[in-house]
Amino acid sequence: MVAVKVGVNGFGTIGKRVAEAVALQPDMELVGVVKTRPDYAAFYASSRGIPLYVPEDRLEEFRRRGLEPAGTVEDLLGKVDVVVDATPGGVGAKYKPLYEKHGVKAIFQGGEKADVAEVSFNTLCNYEEARGKRSLRVVSCNTTGLLRSICALQRVARIESVRATIVRRAADPKEVKRGPVNAIVPNPARAPSHHALDVKTVLPSLDIVTMAVVVPTTLMHVHIVYARLASSVTREDVVQAFMDTPRILLADDEAGLASTADLVEYFRDLGRKRYDIPELVIWLNSVNASGNEVMWMQAVHQESIVVPENIDAIRAVMDMASMEETLKTTDSTLGLMRGVIPRK
Ligand code: NAD
């Protein structure tokens, strides 16, 4: 099998996770990552044997620090088939002309505007539409979480409308500039929040409204979701649909998984690197169905939930696998689970 050559631009929260996930794929080769500063993350990448590519005017700075870059950003783009852009929101759009100049396919992140790419992407919702495109945008962490459960529920009955409240973490654990926050901040104090608009970049005809607040935590986001369906369903139908869907876990609060802190502790106990939880976690006992109305609560690990979708996005643009094939390969290589947790 000829491995697709992948570069990752930006080695922060998302970039480092995507780069390490790419390196685990049997059909991909991680050619290298772009670092702009010779900081601890550059030393970490170097210690793991990941080649560093840097802006031309930074080559000397890296060398002075004892790090030998494998080349410049343009050198990397000359070697790869696909670049995953994981630079801060808005920076990816500035790189787009360079990616086009080198004829590489590009995967952007949710911090970019939707028009940066041909298609906004979620594996379970629109994999087929994304196949063979030149560029995709993997939607944000909150949007990815919403889309996973919405597209799972769509298999039970047609969805007439979705209303959701997003309780957002204030910052990632490593971010010191945004905290501490001692407030609950409407985000913004009107409807809809941008999350509904972002969901509609993937499901344009869905009637969805969201409102959001920011709370003082770094661990995970929580969503309270209400859906109205075109026909009546039972709670068992809905739970079964979530159970059958890849990358969805159902957490049993009666076994102590009753908060985001408990979820994080459980995945620390399991030895997950960086306590990552790329699965969407739905609280089992929060799932409620009455006639054609369904409600549930779900938790999103913002630092890792988009990683599997980035891997699938690479296979989609290269048109190298079906949705079923990429779900199987990505989830087995990343050790993702489905069904009820905790488990024996
Ligand atoms: P980050 O700040 O942790 O990482 C960005 C990295 O890019 C940093 O290492 C930074 O040094 C580097 N960088 C900055 N300017 C650069 C440039 N010009 N060229 C190359 N590298 C540059 O950010 P992040 O949280 O990983 O976010 C990246 C993207 O992923 C954003 O679009 C964001 O909206 C999206 N996203 C973030 C999260 C999250 O919770 N952190 C979740 C989903 C999606």
Side-chain angles (χ1 to χ4, degrees), residues 319-334:
D319 202 8
M320 58 200 274
S322 66
M323 181 181 79
E324 289 73 23
E325 287 163 348
T326 190
L327 282 167
K328 195 167 166 220
T329 310
T330 304
D331 291 11
S332 65
T333 51
L334 301 187

Side-chain angles (χ1 to χ4, degrees), residues 15-319:
K16 68 172 97 164
R17 288 171 168 83
V18 171
E20 291 186 344
V22 166
L24 291 173
Q25 304 309 308
D27 50 357
M28 296 181 196
E29 177 193 342
L30 178 68
V31 177
V33 301
V34 174
K35 273 295 299 170
T36 51
R37 286 179 295 132
D39 60 7
Y40 69 89
F43 280 88
Y44 168 75
S46 182
S47 74
R48 291 292 185 275
I50 300 174
L52 294 173
Y53 291 81
V54 310
E56 195 158 9
D57 58 0
R58 301 276 169 91
L59 283 165
E60 276 316 309
E61 194 183 338
F62 275 73
R63 287 180 185 135
R64 268 202 307 277
R65 285 264 178 179
L67 292 166
E68 186 54 47
T72 65
V73 179
E74 297 226 25
D75 290 336
L76 177 66
L77 294 175
K79 293 179 188 170
V80 299
D81 306 303
V82 184
V83 63
V84 177
D85 184 291
T87 59
V91 176
K94 295 187 184 134
Y95 272 106
K96 189 178 172 186
L98 197 59
Y99 303 152
E100 287 172 348
K101 178 182 143 192
H102 284 270
V104 298
K105 299 206 173 196
I107 313 295
F108 296 96
Q109 306 304 312
E112 302 299 324
K113 291 191 177 137
D115 65 6
V116 77
E118 286 175 87
V119 171
S120 287
F121 175 74
N122 177 271
T123 311
L124 295 173
C125 300
N126 67 343
Y127 186 84
E128 284 306 315
E129 186 189 351
R131 285 178 83 159
K133 293 284 188 287
R134 294 217 58 77
S135 60
L136 299 180
R137 168 178 164 269
V138 174
V139 291
S140 76
C141 47
N142 279 304
T143 310
T144 297
L146 286 167
L147 286 167
R148 284 204 197 149
S149 50
I150 289 168
C151 285
L153 189 62
Q154 271 180 343
R155 297 213 314 266
V156 181
R158 190 171 66 75
I159 299 177
E160 285 190 338
S161 63
V162 175
R163 304 287 179 257
T165 304
I166 317 286
V167 184
R168 294 185 60 185
R169 60 87 179 100
D172 287 345
K174 78 172 168 68
E175 287 180 307
V176 290
K177 286 186 194 153
R178 295 207 216 178
V181 177
N182 182 22
I184 298 172
V185 187
N187 181 237
R190 56 187 173 273
S193 67
H194 74 272
H195 309 93
L197 306 176
D198 206 22
V199 167
K200 285 167 86 67
T201 64
V202 177
L203 301 176
S205 60
L206 183 68
D207 173 1
I208 177 167
V209 180
T210 54
M211 293 184 96
V213 290
V214 176
V215 296
T217 178
T218 62
L219 297 181
M220 299 176 86
H221 306 293
V222 167
H223 302 163
I224 301 160
V225 193
Y226 167 88
R228 181 179 286 273
L229 308 179
S231 52
S232 290
V233 292
T234 65
R235 177 178 185 275
E236 289 66 38
D237 294 334
V238 178
V239 168
Q240 195 60 51
F242 290 153
M243 294 265 277
D244 292 343
T245 304
R247 303 175 188 169
I248 292 185
L249 290 171
L250 288 143
D252 185 358
D253 64 300
E254 289 176 11
L257 294 175
S259 71
T260 53
D262 296 314
L263 292 172
V264 165
E265 188 67 6
Y266 178 60
F267 282 95
R268 279 182 173 144
D269 289 345
L270 291 186
R272 282 272 178 97
K273 188 164 185 179
R274 306 184 178 103
Y275 68 75
D276 281 352
I277 315 172
E279 299 93 339
L280 172 71
V281 184
I282 295 176
W283 274 286
L284 177 62
N285 293 318
S286 77
V287 180
N288 197 288
S290 170
N292 63 345
E293 296 180 349
V294 181
M295 291 184 77
W296 69 93
M297 295 171 83
Q298 60 185 34
V300 169
H301 184 232
Q302 74 280 355
E303 297 171 278
S304 63
I305 192 168
V306 298
V307 173
E309 270 74 4
N310 269 279
I311 299 301
D312 299 335
I314 295 167
R315 293 200 182 93
V317 291
M318 297 306 293
D319 202 8

